[in-house]
Amino acid sequence: MAQLIAISHSCSPNFVCNGARKPDPYLGKLSCWRKIGSRSNGFNGNALVFNNVNLTQASRNKVIKVVVASGNETEASVSPKGGLRGKLNKVVLAYSGGLDTSVIVPWLRENYGCEVVCFTADVGQGVMELDGLEAKAKASGACQLVVKDLQEEFVRDYIFPCLRAGAIYERKYLLGTSMARPVIAKAMVDVAKEVGADAVSHGCTGKGNDQVRFELTFFALNPELNVVAPWREWEITGREDAIEYAKKHNVPVPVTKKSIYSRDRNLWHLSHEGDILEDPANEPMKDMYMMSVDPEDAPNEPEYVEIGIVSGIPISVNGKALSPATLLSQLNEIGGRHGIGRIDMVENRLVGMKSRGVYETPGGTILFSAVRELESLTLDRETIQVKDQLALKYAELVYAGRWFDPLRESMDEFMKKITETTTGSVTLKLYKGSVTVTGRTSPYSLYRQDISSFESGQIYNQADAAGFIKLYGLPMRVRAMLEKGI
């Protein structure tokens, strides 16, 4: 039986179905439809009739757009004529398909009298979170679902600049969630322009950092957009309230098992918060981790991996050139099986409170070790010191959601300039949770064996050190003379 799906005039049903190209393991499975005919219905003019086919791969950087209201369900997509809190025309909602965002769809329609366009960004969170989104959005009352594969853009334009800058927040955090929010928010601004929306919305709570990261990006890229944050407005206080609201508005409650942890996953990392982790004295449970094995259970033999780097940006693994997203995915797999990249920390949230989080960043930990080690060859002492100082501020800006701040952009240009010669390769040994550098080489290396050797050479005369030490130590010598009355 063919299923009727209305495609709006702003949509371009550009799908890649079975047989068109090979599946890509990094995007996972997304629904696609094969055109078998067309006919007219009463919704948005012409409608296309598609047969549901197997879940398949869409090419990178392609946009999958589906208007999910159709047939007898068309009535559900028509917005109320007025809202309880105001009137908006169309809202683009950051959508995951979970309980919160499923409830937000009818709440927006009820309170703002608007159409809701659900937007989902694929940043490498996995197939389980992307599966069945069309049906969920339709059941919630959305008029349209837009899915974008942002994995390559995420790694190339957000992760790699942070890696090149050496940005680490509060000594440990590799900024996995912090980097993902601006790429998602930027795509939402683009979609809002494309579909003619006058507002954007997100499901972030009023206690977290993500609300700031989303909204600062909205402000920077389109200050005319209205922003709706339901968690700061509605009376829903928890999961049970949300379930009751969903039942009242005939929204099917997602039947997925509720995790005891609050998790955020993308191609760079997986974060864990909540439950027993809220007490910093508790050790994480062994079965909590999902990207990495327990170091105690990792292989008893080390694995060596060579990372090729050009101007501070990784380009290859073991001599094979790879796209940014593919490279990171491979290193996640390699690092994960050796228990690499587990971080347990108490951090200072932007909103003022402290929070405890556990992060898994296997591929990112390998890359940070490689780039930092290569810089030991290619950067001089003063440059490394200045770079490290600026990296702290860079990380703070990213953590605080100021990705599109002119200060971060200017600092990024500085990082790009001073790492022009950070080119070469680094070999690392992975063993039971540890990353050890075993070799590094660069055509721009400032290391000279003929100078560093303990044997005398023509460039460095050891006898010259005596005069250097006297001049370098002169301030200390003068102070001592003053104290002793000399």
Side-chain angles (χ1 to χ4, degrees):
M1 177 68 67
Q3 181 176 359
L4 185 62
I5 295 188
I7 305 296
S8 71
H9 297 298
S10 63
C11 290
S12 174
N14 188 1
F15 292 30
V16 182
C17 296
N18 280 345
R21 64 177 71 244
K22 294 181 180 180
D24 185 318
Y26 304 115
L27 177 60
K29 299 177 180 179
L30 291 174
S31 296
C32 72
W33 308 85
R34 181 171 62 238
K35 180 178 179 182
I36 63 171
S38 65
R39 69 171 180 262
S40 177
N41 76 344
F43 183 79
N44 255 350
N46 290 331
L48 303 181
V49 181
F50 296 84
N51 267 349
N52 198 359
V53 297
N54 291 335
L55 300 173
T56 58
Q57 161 64 29
S59 62
R60 293 204 179 281
N61 297 324
K62 295 292 184 183
V63 182
I64 303 171
K65 302 179 181 180
V66 184
V67 175
V68 294
S70 64
N72 295 332
E73 290 79 25
T74 302
E75 182 179 353
S77 70
V78 179
S79 301
K81 295 185 179 300
L84 301 178
R85 298 170 184 259
K87 176 62 180 172
L88 295 172
N89 174 44
K90 188 179 291 185
V91 178
V92 174
L93 169 66
Y95 182 74
S96 68
L99 175 61
D100 290 353
T101 52
S102 294
V103 168
I104 288 175
V105 174
W107 185 89
L108 287 171
R109 296 176 65 246
E110 178 183 11
N111 287 274
Y112 287 94
C114 58
E115 292 182 339
V116 179
V117 175
C118 290
F119 171 75
T120 301
D122 180 5
V123 289
Q125 61 267 46
V127 61
M128 294 302 294
E129 294 192 34
L130 296 172
D131 216 4
L133 288 180
E134 296 94 338
K136 293 177 182 178
K138 175 180 178 180
S140 297
C143 73
Q144 187 174 352
L145 170 68
V146 180
V147 178
K148 283 191 177 184
D149 179 5
L150 302 178
Q151 293 183 79
E152 293 290 354
E153 179 182 352
F154 177 39
V155 181
R156 181 189 64 241
D157 297 340
Y158 295 80
I159 291 176
F160 280 179
C162 285
L163 175 66
R164 177 176 59 202
I168 300 176
Y169 182 72
E170 293 191 341
R171 305 170 184 167
K172 289 185 177 182
Y173 179 42
L174 299 184
L175 299 168
T177 303
S178 309
M179 295 184 294
R181 297 309 182 235
V183 68
I184 296 172
K186 177 180 180 295
M188 290 178 66
V189 172
D190 294 339
V191 170
K193 180 179 180 180
E194 183 177 342
V195 302
D198 54 346
V200 285
S201 180
H202 59 76
C204 306
T205 71
K207 282 188 174 182
N209 299 311
D210 284 342
Q211 58 181 335
V212 182
R213 295 163 182 159
F214 272 106
E215 294 181 33
L216 291 191
T217 301
F218 298 150
F219 296 161
L221 301 183
N222 187 350
E224 295 182 337
L225 280 174
N226 295 290
V227 179
V228 182
W231 274 103
R232 302 200 300 254
E233 296 185 29
W234 62 15
E235 289 73 31
I236 296 174
T237 59
R239 182 175 176 83
E240 294 305 318
D241 287 348
I243 291 174
E244 287 301 316
Y245 186 91
K247 291 179 178 178
K248 179 181 177 181
H249 292 78
N250 298 317
V251 175
V253 178
V255 295
T256 54
K257 183 178 179 181
K258 173 68 175 178
S259 171
I260 63 174
Y261 303 105
S262 174
R263 288 188 169 105
D264 176 77
R265 184 167 190 163
N266 58 49
L267 203 55
W268 183 246
H269 87 158
L270 173 61
S271 66
H272 312 264
E273 293 181 332
D275 199 65
I276 66 169
L277 299 180
E278 292 184 352
D279 183 349
N282 289 334
E283 180 181 4
M285 300 293 288
K286 186 173 182 177
D287 62 358
M288 179 192 73
Y289 296 93
M290 301 174 68
M291 288 185 72
S292 59
V293 303
D294 191 311
E296 296 177 356
D297 300 327
N300 292 323
E301 295 296 326
E303 180 172 355
Y304 290 83
V305 60
E306 180 185 10
I307 309 298
I309 300 168
V310 173
S311 298
I313 300 297
I315 62 163
S316 67
V317 175
N318 295 329
K320 183 178 180 180
L322 300 168
S323 74
T326 304
L327 183 148
L328 180 55
S329 295
Q330 287 198 10
L331 289 178
N332 280 335
E333 181 181 348
I334 294 171
R337 65 173 173 255
H338 290 279
I340 305 299
R342 293 184 172 191
I343 295 296
D344 184 341
M345 68 179 294
V346 175
E347 67 193 67
N348 291 291
R349 284 185 180 175
L350 180 64
V351 293
M353 69 185 72
K354 285 184 179 289
S355 66
R356 193 264 189 103
V358 177
Y359 302 97
E360 296 178 79
T361 320
T365 300
I366 294 171
L367 290 176
F368 259 90
S369 298
V371 173
R372 182 171 56 243
E373 193 62 28
L374 187 58
E375 289 178 346
S376 70
L377 287 183
T378 63
L379 301 183
D380 61 76
R381 177 179 58 195
E382 298 296 328
T383 301
I384 287 178
Q385 291 176 356
V386 172
K387 183 175 184 293
D388 287 348
Q389 292 170 1
L390 291 178
L392 296 175
K393 185 62 179 179
Y394 194 108
E396 180 184 332
L397 291 171
V398 175
Y399 187 84
R402 307 184 73 93
W403 185 268
F404 294 99
D405 190 301
L407 176 58
R408 190 213 62 85
E409 294 172 339
S410 298
M411 292 172 66
D412 199 54
E413 290 300 314
F414 170 81
M415 297 298 182
K416 186 185 302 183
K417 178 63 180 178
I418 64 169
T419 57
E420 285 179 342
T421 59
T422 302
T423 296
S425 66
V426 177
T427 302
L428 309 106
K429 180 172 71 173
L430 314 179
Y431 182 68
K432 290 189 177 296
S434 67
V435 180
T436 305
V437 177
T438 61
R440 73 290 281 164
T441 181
S442 171
Y444 302 103
S445 175
L446 299 177
Y447 176 86
R448 291 281 299 266
Q449 187 174 352
D450 57 343
I451 297 177
S452 301
S453 173
F454 282 105
E455 298 184 9
S456 297
Q458 296 180 345
I459 298 178
Y460 189 99
N461 188 339
Q462 296 189 41
D464 294 340
F468 165 75
I469 294 172
K470 287 181 179 180
L471 294 178
Y472 184 71
L474 183 60
M476 300 178 67
R477 189 174 186 182
V478 170
R479 182 179 296 278
M481 292 171 64
L482 176 63
E483 292 174 351
K484 296 181 179 297
I486 300 175

